[in-house]
Amino acid sequence: MSTADQGASSPTAHLFNPLFAQPEGSPIRELFPYLSRPGMLSLAGGYPSPSLFDAEGLQQAAMAALQQDAATSLQYGASEGQLALREALAALCATRGIACTPADMIVTTGSQQAFDLLVKVLVEPGDPVLVEVPAYPATLQTLKLAQAQVVAVPTDEQGLDTEALARLLAQWPHARAPKMLYTVPNFSNPGGTLLPAARRTALVELARQHGFVIVEDDPYGELRFAGQREPSIYETGLALCGAQANPVVYLSSLSKTVAPALRIGWMLADAQLLRRCTIAKQTADLCTSPLAQMIAAHYLRSGRYAPQLAQACAEYAARMDALCSGMQSALGDQIRFVRPAGGMFVWARLLPPQRLAGDSQALARALFTAAVEQGVLYVPGKAFFPADAADKAGLCMRLSYAAPTVPQITEAVARLGRAWGQAVS
């Protein structure tokens, strides 16, 4: 008997919210059982490398939090976040070119909570929400549970296609206007793309013209390997619209640059939106762990963040190069991808032989099965599309170079090449 069948026969089954009657979990987290197989190499998870955690620095920060700020660290805290951390995060934002104060932000339990709060505050069932596609699966999952109408916005090698968005908005077919747009402009998950400055400006202009909120999710922006920093969409909005009319909400996190276990994220937005998100947060968790917040505050003030970040960027650049060079060697002209200039991900598309081009979904299933047999894991592309557009994923896949070492990546790509040969034979 399946878990779903067991749930249907339980005495509480009739009490479930219909949205949770037959729930679907994260398509990425449902790959976890494969990780327990002996010898499995994973290019699937978007986890930062454990070798890059500054355990010593975090231990010192934890000791300082408990020795210097025990009363604050171990007590309930303000829902908007500890002032010490918000000051440190404002200073961090300044290094990204974003001018803000502690009053402009709230601290959240990871940036995923920040997005969830925004959806609760802004989105009603049936509201259209614009989402760049392919998209981060947790975003799609959140919007599905909110009963939003996901409207896909296409992307290309430079990220969200603002010209395609403009055409869509000019011929808007829906009864309701869009409430918000979600984008990861810096080294996106899953695309690895970097949105150019001109598109950022165009996006703000479209938001101002059509009255929707831009949710700029930026967990990867500091993991840059090459090139110059693009202005955030948030600061572009400030420059074009002013603080009172800025249509951009900025989300970020320390999960990819310090440690996921801290669960420290934050949101920059106008005062009215922050107040409502703070109230929504009170019903979720009262406050993000004050101990975690004070550890993060001490760590950001310690001077260790910048050198640790530089080390991470150098290591991830080497791993990215190993993955991209390895795929080119193993699969040659059978694979297409763009080398990212930062972040943790490569979005790749395989080109099937002509004789197999008619059923990409069957071939995608065969490839995944062969990859598991060969001992390598990736995330199939369909995980990053809304359910009604999953067929557009074709033979795409997301590959992460963040957690495995260079030798592991080299072997994983060789296994992927053998799996592809097995799938098309």
Side-chain angles (χ1 to χ4, degrees):
M1 181 182 292
S2 70
T3 302
D5 289 337
Q6 290 174 347
S9 63
S10 76
T12 59
H14 68 287
L15 301 177
F16 293 142
N17 180 324
L19 293 170
F20 288 89
Q22 297 292 334
E24 296 180 6
S26 163
I28 297 177
R29 288 185 169 269
E30 289 184 358
L31 298 176
F32 275 30
Y34 294 108
L35 295 175
S36 62
R37 298 192 179 191
M40 181 66 73
L41 294 175
S42 177
L43 299 172
Y47 286 14
S49 173
S51 67
L52 295 171
F53 293 151
D54 185 7
E56 179 183 0
L58 288 169
Q59 181 182 32
Q60 292 174 3
M63 291 177 63
L66 290 171
Q67 291 175 355
Q68 301 173 27
D69 302 294
T72 300
S73 298
L74 299 177
Q75 186 56 275
Y76 288 113
S79 296
E80 61 267 26
Q82 300 290 353
L83 178 59
L85 177 58
R86 287 184 288 133
E87 290 174 340
L89 291 175
L92 179 60
C93 285
T95 68
R96 304 179 183 184
I98 301 174
C100 63
T101 70
D104 297 322
M105 73 174 68
I106 62 171
V107 175
T108 57
T109 304
S111 61
Q112 180 61 37
Q113 185 190 53
F115 181 67
D116 187 68
L117 296 177
L118 283 170
V119 170
K120 287 180 178 178
V121 167
L122 293 176
V123 178
E124 299 176 73
D127 279 344
V129 175
L130 300 159
V131 180
E132 63 182 10
V133 172
Y136 177 45
T139 298
L140 299 174
Q141 188 177 26
T142 300
L143 292 172
K144 179 180 179 180
L145 291 175
Q147 299 179 276
Q149 181 180 4
V150 175
V151 180
V153 180
T155 58
D156 58 21
E157 294 178 354
Q158 294 186 312
L160 189 146
D161 186 340
T162 50
E163 291 186 0
L165 174 61
R167 291 192 297 270
L168 172 64
L169 292 170
Q171 303 174 353
W172 187 249
H174 306 284
R176 304 187 194 181
K179 276 285 185 73
M180 68 165 63
L181 177 144
Y182 176 87
T183 181
V184 183
N186 295 323
F187 319 123
S188 65
N189 179 4
T193 55
L194 178 64
L195 194 68
R199 291 194 183 186
R200 296 172 189 238
T201 298
L203 186 54
V204 171
E205 294 286 7
L206 288 169
R208 181 161 60 175
Q209 179 183 351
H210 294 276
F212 59 83
V213 171
I214 299 169
V215 181
E216 177 183 15
D217 198 358
D218 185 28
Y220 310 105
E222 292 199 304
L223 298 177
R224 174 181 297 279
F225 311 150
Q228 298 299 310
R229 183 188 69 83
E230 297 287 3
S232 69
I233 305 174
Y234 183 83
E235 61 186 291
T236 301
L238 285 176
L240 294 176
C241 308
Q244 297 303 314
N246 187 0
V248 188
V249 177
Y250 180 84
L251 312 182
S252 194
S253 167
L254 297 182
S255 294
K256 304 301 189 291
T257 56
V258 180
L262 286 177
R263 306 308 302 131
I264 297 297
W266 68 98
M267 175 197 303
L268 299 177
D270 68 75
Q272 292 190 38
L273 186 53
L274 285 181
R275 177 175 177 271
R276 285 157 177 80
C277 286
T278 301
I279 293 171
K281 181 175 171 59
Q282 291 169 2
T283 69
D285 63 0
L286 298 182
C287 62
T288 296
S289 164
L291 177 58
Q293 289 188 64
M294 294 309 297
I295 292 172
H298 280 280
Y299 185 79
L300 291 174
R301 294 198 301 254
S302 71
R304 299 179 70 111
Y305 179 83
Q308 191 69 21
L309 178 63
Q311 180 185 348
C313 288
E315 181 59 34
Y316 289 150
R319 296 182 187 193
M320 179 275 295
D321 187 66
L323 176 60
C324 293
S325 299
M327 288 194 298
Q328 205 66 67
S329 298
L331 294 159
D333 59 5
Q334 299 175 82
I335 193 166
R336 296 286 185 273
F337 60 89
V338 176
R339 283 180 179 251
M344 294 183 166
F345 306 107
V346 173
W347 181 251
R349 178 169 60 92
L350 286 159
L351 306 178
Q354 188 62 37
R355 61 185 172 82
L356 298 175
D359 193 351
S360 61
Q361 294 187 56
L363 187 52
R365 291 191 294 269
L367 173 59
F368 184 80
T369 299
V372 171
E373 292 175 358
Q374 291 289 338
V376 60
L377 204 58
Y378 62 89
V379 186
K382 68 177 184 179
F384 304 93
F385 287 79
D388 59 0
D391 59 330
K392 295 181 180 179
L395 286 165
C396 290
M397 61 180 72
R398 190 195 75 177
L399 305 159
S400 176
Y401 46 81
T405 63
V406 168
Q408 288 172 332
I409 291 171
T410 302
E411 175 59 25
V413 172
R415 295 181 186 184
L416 184 60
R418 291 195 294 270
W420 177 242
Q422 180 179 331
V424 300
S425 63

